[in-house]
Amino acid sequence: SAVISQKPSRDICQRGTSLTIQCQVDSQVTMMFWYRQQPGQSLTLIATANQGSEATYESGFVIDKFPISRPNLTFSTLTVSNLSPEDSSIYLCSVATTGSYTFGSGTRLTVV
Amino acid sequence: SQQGEEDPQALSIQEGENATMNCSYKTSINNLQWYRQNSGRGLVHLILIRSNEREKHSGRLRVTLDTSKKSSSLLITASRAADTASYFCATDLSSNTGKLIFGQGTTLQVKP
């Protein structure tokens, strides 16, 4: 199965600023996924990052708030923009290869 | 929106006892997976069961799937204190896109 390196592992940010999270995969994958886990909650899919095209966002998530880049088949970034305390969550990237699903170790974001 | 409903939301047992968690979902699936998460850290993939399978075992884990009832159960036998964690079911829909819809999770506490 694929191995994902996700950075940063945690950050504390001021409200109104932005945080960019990176995920590097050790193999080429067609689609990468970004999830949010709010405190005490389950994971919710934010968007699917497609190489060569715009990301596909789930209901309730918009590109202006969560811009995503996917410059190649092994890398993606998620930016959380105009931060507010409600954005404090764990953000995880994921890939799915044949029969195997892998998650990054997560980024714990605290907005103060 | 969440695909899966899990019960119980919280479970507390003594070491050595068995723990059973249930998951229900709403739409047709390609597969269903169970994950463990310790204290808000990364997700650990436990087991995947395909829609044409009814039961699967892995060590002390036993997963069943009933597609007619759109439900699954995870049984952990002879529990250990180290099994204390949150457990999530996740479904990959019949379109097999690789994106997962997570249940709400069950928090398991195993007392030594």
Side-chain angles (χ1 to χ4, degrees), chain B residues 1-102:
Chain B
S1 61
Q2 296 290 359
Q3 155 90 310
E5 302 280 337
E6 291 187 55
D7 76 87
Q9 288 190 325
L11 182 60
S12 181
I13 58 175
Q14 294 293 135
E15 211 166 24
E17 295 180 338
N18 296 341
T20 300
M21 290 159 259
N22 302 295
C23 168
S24 60
Y25 56 92
K26 299 174 184 175
T27 60
S28 296
I29 62 172
N30 178 273
N31 63 67
L32 184 145
Q33 303 164 45
W34 286 89
Y35 289 86
R36 184 183 73 222
Q37 186 180 45
N38 294 80
S39 301
R41 297 161 86 173
L43 285 174
V44 175
H45 182 267
L46 296 176
I47 200 164
L48 179 153
I49 186 166
R50 303 191 186 283
S51 60
N52 61 352
E53 297 175 311
R54 293 297 167 257
E55 188 170 312
K56 211 162 183 182
H57 298 255
S58 176
R60 293 184 295 114
L61 306 180
R62 173 181 166 241
V63 168
T64 61
L65 179 65
D66 187 334
T67 53
S68 66
K69 295 181 179 178
K70 293 187 169 57
S71 67
S72 174
S73 67
L74 170 67
L75 169 67
I76 304 174
T77 60
S79 64
R80 305 167 181 168
D83 294 328
T84 294
S86 293
Y87 292 81
F88 297 93
C89 66
T91 52
D92 192 347
L93 303 183
S94 56
S95 52
N96 197 22
T97 61
K99 65 180 185 181
L100 298 176
I101 309 298
F102 281 80

Side-chain angles (χ1 to χ4, degrees), chain A residues 42-60:
Chain A
S42 184
L43 282 77
T44 300
L45 182 65
I46 298 172
T48 302
N50 309 302
Q51 195 270 333
S53 63
E54 280 197 359
T56 305
Y57 289 84
E58 299 297 310
S59 176

Side-chain angles (χ1 to χ4, degrees), chain A residues 55-93:
Chain A
T56 305
Y57 289 84
E58 299 297 310
S59 176
F61 297 96
V62 295
I63 187 171
D64 289 348
K65 178 67 175 176
F66 299 98
I68 287 171
S69 78
R70 184 81 200 275
N72 56 55
L73 291 174
T74 63
F75 187 78
S76 179
T77 68
L78 169 74
T79 299
V80 189
S81 303
N82 190 24
L83 291 168
S84 68
E86 292 72 33
D87 295 319
S88 296
S89 296
I90 298 173
Y91 294 86
L92 302 99
C93 61

Side-chain angles (χ1 to χ4, degrees), chain A residues 28-46:
Chain A
Q28 293 185 339
V29 292
T30 305
M31 289 185 288
M32 293 178 70
F33 307 94
W34 288 97
Y35 293 84
R36 180 179 72 182
Q37 186 177 26
Q38 295 177 299
Q41 303 295 314
S42 184
L43 282 77
T44 300
L45 182 65
I46 298 172

